[in-house]
Amino acid sequence: MNMLRLQALVRKEFQQFIKDKRLLPIIFVLPILQLTFLGFAASLDVKNIVFVLADMDKSSESREFIRSFTNSGYFTMGYTTEDYNTVRTYLDNSQATMAVIIPPQFGAKVLRRESVDVQVIFDGSEGNSTAIASGYAMQIINRYSQEVLTEIVGDVRRLGGVTTETRAWYNPTLVSRVFMVPGVLVLILLITTTNLTAMAIVKEKEIGTLEQLLVTPLRPIELIVGKLIPFTIIGLIIVTVALLVMVFGFGIPVRGSLLLLYAFNGAFLMTSLGLGLFVSTISKTQQQAMMVGMFFVMMPMMYISGFVFPVENMPVALQWVSHAIPMKYYLVAIRSIILKGAGLSELWFEGVMLVVMGIAVLAASVLRFREKID
Amino acid sequence: MNAIEVRGLTKRFGQFTAVDHIDFDVKQGEIFGFLGANGAGKSTTIRMLCGLLSSTEGTARVGGFDINTDPHSVKQSIGYMSQKFSLYEDLTVEENIDFFGRVYGITESALKERKAWVLDIANLHGREKSITGTLSGGWKQRLALGCAVLHRPRIVFLDEPTSGVDPVMRRKFWELINELSADGVTVLVTTHFLEEAEYCNDIILINAGKIIASGSPKELKRDHIKHPILEVHCSDVVRAMERIEEEPWAVETSIFGTTIHVNVENEQQGRDAITSLLHRNGITVNGIERITPSLEDVFIYLLEHGGGKG
């Protein structure tokens, strides 16, 4: 590798960056916008579940029971009805996603210390939020019955049995934003760097400058490295912008070492830039590079890495595929460093995997990129 | 030693043979014209000689280096200007010159002097900071040539350098080519402007991947045009040509703008025959004169007769 030629290439890339009016928004505006939108929208929390109440009892006990729902903050009583049959209409019309039906004699039975059934119906068409909402509802009902029990026997624990006390570490309030934002940061880095590099060589191919470069003494490795250096710098700037938004905008601090965080950023960039360059070498036009990058790099990374769906829930075959997805390791590392303050002793495996994959991908694109144009 | 020696060079793309076993030599310091219609195989040949395409068969030595075994040395010793303008349009004139200079490993002090030279030949002094994309065709072309020869290569390949440039700019461009040649640089240029071919020391004509004629412009005219050519000015050119073509004494007939060129066995007999033939058909003859053949006459003759010697 000739350093002077490399230097000339890198300098040229930056001269082009400076004149490219689209690049500045990509570096600064895109991360901020994406973090803001995805940070708020990509939330799995369920709030303000509207329910319809059919209270056939209308006792002070039934009212208290319902208050435990409305006071929880998760549920809003949208409608009330006297008639069991109209409950269905509210659910059919999606006016409510849950129905609570309190039978006659609810209060009386509670006071008589008899067992009593309450019916809770969910709109199951939105599986995810229903599961979460029913979880909340069960909690509330359990707590209510426990209170009733406490009134009867005093301290419930006297009766023996097992009780669970759940604590969520690293994200005690289980706000999904805390979990999502570091993931979005990873996503931004993936999308911008893969896209930019996927365009890099194919763009020169399209405008004809690649042909001119290939008749010069430049060697393929110089050309590849000459493209990598500027894009690595851009990638690191993007991460920094995104981190600043995360820390100061969302108030999610980095618990672990910043140095380690950037080391992982660098390792992941090797793979995302390498894949981008590889796409660039196999594509003939910029559109083609876009599509290939989208379907063969970004989509698998997003869906199989655990960014959207937990890897543990995937079929075994897909779990195997996920081992080959660099973003999976990066995602684990970034979340662990930011949220748990994990160090290299916990994350060395992820680090090794990323570096190995990065080297493999880069080597592939150097080999694939020949000095000939045919 | 010849600057370029080509032996049996062949390029196939699947079933299609773009270049079919061609042989030619280019002498040191000459302007060598590489002629042929679009798709005849000119660019493919040039790209093989520059190391951009690998050859299917055959070989060539460029500047003494084998294109198959030592493409890197070939690249160090040549300059190449492609058909398509291929400098960075988003960079300034100066940034382009600097970039290519550094890629060729020109030292900063030498680069300064070469930059002044390029700005000189491209007439771009004072416009160093202009964005290259904003320049008009002729300037871009000369800038591209300047960048291609920044490193003072001994051999320069110019692929259709003057396509899309107006005649004045084209002439100025050829002055530059002549200057390079005067400095001892070997120039291999492809063109489909036949009047440009007259400026070349030697020419080869390529058709469907094969060389169908070679020699200096003078030799080509002498060897292939054995008959006098009469230029006929008349009223109904198309009908006149159809009539003349049917006659046995017309060796070759072709339309040149509003005139017809007729190759005849004998000048005087030809004149009489044409006059009477057109008169019988009610076509007014405004004049017949003998002309010296142009390369265009030669090539039309060669292409229509399937090429002479290879």
Side-chain angles (χ1 to χ4, degrees):
Chain A
M1 224 184 308
N2 179 307
M3 283 305 142
L4 285 173
R5 290 201 290 257
L6 193 61
Q7 212 183 336
L9 261 177
V10 173
R11 188 197 294 227
K12 181 219 89 184
E13 287 301 325
F14 276 106
Q15 285 168 340
Q16 287 182 301
F17 286 161
I18 290 166
K19 294 185 181 69
D20 189 351
K21 291 187 177 60
R22 289 167 308 176
L23 198 71
L24 233 58
I26 289 178
I27 295 181
F28 293 104
V29 181
L30 204 78
I32 296 174
L33 276 183
Q34 282 203 322
L35 268 180
T36 314
F37 286 146
L38 284 170
F40 285 110
S43 161
L44 301 173
D45 301 338
V46 178
K47 273 185 188 163
N48 300 320
I49 303 153
V50 177
F51 69 93
V52 52
L53 170 70
D55 185 356
M56 324 267 200
D57 186 43
K58 291 204 164 60
S59 59
S60 63
E61 281 74 26
S62 71
R63 275 193 295 276
E64 198 192 325
F65 176 72
I66 282 307
R67 256 200 307 280
S68 62
F69 273 86
T70 47
N71 287 349
S72 70
Y74 298 118
F75 299 97
T76 309
M77 186 164 72
Y79 312 91
T80 51
T81 173
E82 316 275 292
D83 179 12
Y84 181 80
N85 292 317
T86 52
V87 162
R88 189 192 186 93
T89 340
Y90 288 104
L91 290 174
D92 280 351
N93 298 340
S94 300
Q95 286 164 297
T97 48
M98 181 178 95
V100 181
I101 297 124
I102 301 174
Q105 299 296 310
F106 173 84
K109 281 184 178 175
V110 168
L111 289 177
R112 284 205 302 269
R113 297 174 183 178
E114 282 174 32
S115 140
V116 57
D117 294 326
V118 170
Q119 190 177 17
V120 182
I121 304 170
F122 287 98
D123 173 357
S125 60
E126 266 194 68
N128 259 339
S129 26
T130 305
I132 293 165
S134 78
Y136 292 153
M138 291 313 124
Q139 264 180 20
I140 289 167
I141 296 169
N142 281 341
R143 200 177 305 143
Y144 179 86
S145 40
Q146 214 162 59
E147 275 163 24
V148 174
L149 270 177
T150 313
E151 264 173 47
I152 301 165
V153 297
D155 193 348
V156 192
R157 275 172 298 187
R158 257 188 17 211
L159 296 174
V162 183
T163 52
T164 45
E165 293 277 331
T166 319
R167 296 276 183 279
W169 280 13
Y170 314 121
N171 183 6
T173 46
L174 282 177
V175 180
S176 59
R177 195 182 305 142
V178 172
F179 172 75
M180 289 306 284
V181 168
V184 174
L185 185 137
V186 169
L187 189 70
I188 292 168
L189 191 63
L190 169 77
I191 292 177
T192 46
T193 54
T194 309
N195 253 333
L196 285 175
T197 44
M199 298 295 160
I201 285 176
V202 80
K203 188 175 154 202
E204 297 222 16
K205 221 183 270 182
E206 254 186 7
I207 58 176
T209 46
L210 187 65
E211 200 174 307
Q212 199 66 50
L213 290 183
L214 291 181
V215 293
T216 69
L218 271 173
R219 289 177 187 270
I221 178 115
E222 290 162 0
L223 208 53
I224 297 275
V225 176
K227 290 277 179 194
L228 276 179
I229 293 173
F231 286 116
T232 306
I233 294 171
I234 287 191
L236 291 177
I237 295 175
I238 290 173
V239 172
T240 308
V241 172
L243 276 175
L244 288 173
V245 174
M246 183 187 84
V247 174
F248 296 105
F250 287 95
I252 302 170
V254 178
R255 293 221 173 89
S257 138
L258 262 183
L259 193 70
L260 187 65
L261 186 66
Y262 272 87
F264 269 98
N265 289 338
F268 178 66
L269 277 173
M270 276 169 55
T271 64
S272 72
L273 295 178
L275 284 169
L277 280 178
F278 187 76
V279 169
S280 207
T281 58
I282 59 169
S283 305
K284 285 209 157 62
T285 62
Q286 294 193 61
Q287 267 113 325
Q288 206 185 349
M290 274 274 261
M291 296 314 276
V292 173
M294 189 76 186
F295 287 108
F296 293 99
V297 180
M298 284 185 258
M299 299 260 240
M301 289 258 214
M302 275 160 74
Y303 295 131
I304 315 178
S305 63
F307 169 70
V308 186
F309 314 110
V311 177
E312 294 78 9
N313 294 359
M314 293 175 194
V316 183
L318 265 188
Q319 290 196 24
W320 276 104
V321 176
S322 79
H323 292 313
I325 302 282
M327 185 164 149
K328 179 185 135 171
Y329 303 99
Y330 181 52
L331 205 55
V332 169
I334 288 300
R335 280 177 177 156
S336 307
I337 295 170
I338 292 175
L339 301 178
K340 299 195 212 168
L344 196 56
S345 52
E346 291 90 11
L347 295 171
W348 65 269
F349 176 69
E350 280 77 10
V352 169
M353 287 306 280
L354 279 177
V355 170
V356 168
M357 283 192 202
I359 290 171
V361 171
L362 286 176
S365 42
V366 172
L367 289 178
R368 178 71 188 89
F369 182 77
R370 284 167 301 172
E371 286 177 80
K372 311 279 183 188
I373 50 176
D374 48 342
Chain B
M1 188 192 70
N2 288 318
I4 303 171
E5 291 176 350
V6 179
R7 295 291 174 267
L9 197 62
T10 301
K11 179 70 191 181
R12 276 189 281 273
F13 296 103
Q15 291 293 310
F16 173 67
T17 306
V19 176
D20 194 358
H21 296 93
I22 59 170
D23 300 272
F24 62 88
D25 291 322
V26 179
K27 292 194 274 293
Q28 204 88 53
E30 75 171 333
I31 302 177
F32 190 87
F34 201 34
L35 279 76
N38 288 332
K42 290 174 300 187
S43 292
T44 308
T45 306
I46 280 214
R47 285 172 169 190
M48 282 192 281
L49 295 180
C50 293
L52 282 172
L53 276 179
S54 45
S55 62
T56 316
E57 248 178 71
T59 186
R61 297 182 80 80
V62 174
F65 303 107
D66 191 299
I67 57 163
N68 293 322
T69 58
D70 197 4
H72 221 72
S73 302
V74 170
K75 287 178 183 181
Q76 278 286 5
S77 47
I78 61 165
Y80 168 72
M81 182 180 156
S82 80
Q83 210 164 4
K84 209 165 139 190
F85 179 73
S86 52
L87 299 182
Y88 292 95
E89 303 233 1
D90 50 349
L91 294 185
T92 66
V93 169
E94 192 172 29
E95 285 165 347
N96 264 308
I97 300 173
D98 287 344
F99 171 66
F100 283 102
R102 288 180 183 129
V103 163
Y104 276 109
I106 301 174
T107 60
E108 292 298 311
S109 59
L111 183 58
K112 217 170 173 181
E113 179 253 326
R114 291 302 280 165
K115 196 195 298 182
W117 176 81
V118 172
L119 292 173
D120 226 34
I121 62 156
N123 205 6
L124 283 169
H125 276 294
R127 297 197 63 180
E128 295 91 335
K129 304 267 183 271
S130 298
I131 299 296
T132 311
T134 62
L135 302 176
S136 66
W139 272 283
K140 274 190 198 170
Q141 221 100 11
R142 284 187 289 173
L143 178 62
L145 177 66
C147 288
V149 298
L150 265 176
H151 56 300
R152 296 185 184 279
R154 301 310 301 155
I155 301 164
V156 180
F157 292 93
L158 306 173
D159 194 4
E160 300 273 352
T162 54
S163 59
V165 176
D166 65 68
V168 179
M169 284 297 191
R170 224 191 291 166
R171 183 164 289 273
K172 287 193 172 162
F173 194 85
W174 271 92
E175 283 168 16
L176 273 174
I177 295 179
N178 280 322
E179 280 171 32
L180 284 174
S181 168
D183 288 341
V185 175
T186 308
V187 180
L188 190 151
V189 57
T190 74
T191 180
H192 57 257
F193 293 113
L194 289 168
E195 71 271 21
E196 288 187 347
E198 307 267 1
Y199 304 134
C200 299
N201 304 106
D202 273 304
I203 301 169
I204 55 174
L205 176 66
I206 183 168
N207 188 42
K210 288 190 169 120
I211 295 175
I212 60 172
S214 59
S216 69
K218 208 178 259 172
E219 284 165 355
L220 286 170
K221 290 173 196 168
R222 189 193 63 211
D223 295 349
H224 298 287
I225 304 294
K226 301 231 164 58
H227 308 291
I229 298 178
L230 297 177
E231 188 174 74
V232 182
H233 297 260
C234 60
S235 57
D236 193 344
V237 182
V238 177
R239 203 156 61 85
M241 163 146 161
E242 285 168 3
R243 291 289 162 277
I244 296 170
E245 255 180 344
E246 292 163 1
E247 297 298 322
W249 42 261
V251 179
E252 180 68 47
T253 316
S254 48
I255 290 186
F256 273 70
T258 58
T259 67
I260 307 168
H261 287 190
V262 189
N263 298 29
V264 290
E265 303 275 355
N266 174 288
E267 187 186 346
Q268 197 48 52
Q269 280 170 12
R271 277 177 186 274
D272 297 342
I274 292 169
T275 315
S276 62
L277 173 73
L278 294 187
H279 192 76
R280 276 204 304 280
N281 283 283
I283 298 165
T284 326
V285 178
N286 300 321
I288 298 176
E289 53 187 307
R290 177 165 181 177
I291 54 162
T292 45
S294 66
L295 275 174
E296 202 158 350
D297 294 303
V298 177
F299 290 144
I300 285 171
Y301 175 84
L302 284 169
L303 291 174
E304 297 205 340
H305 290 80
K309 47 188 181 183

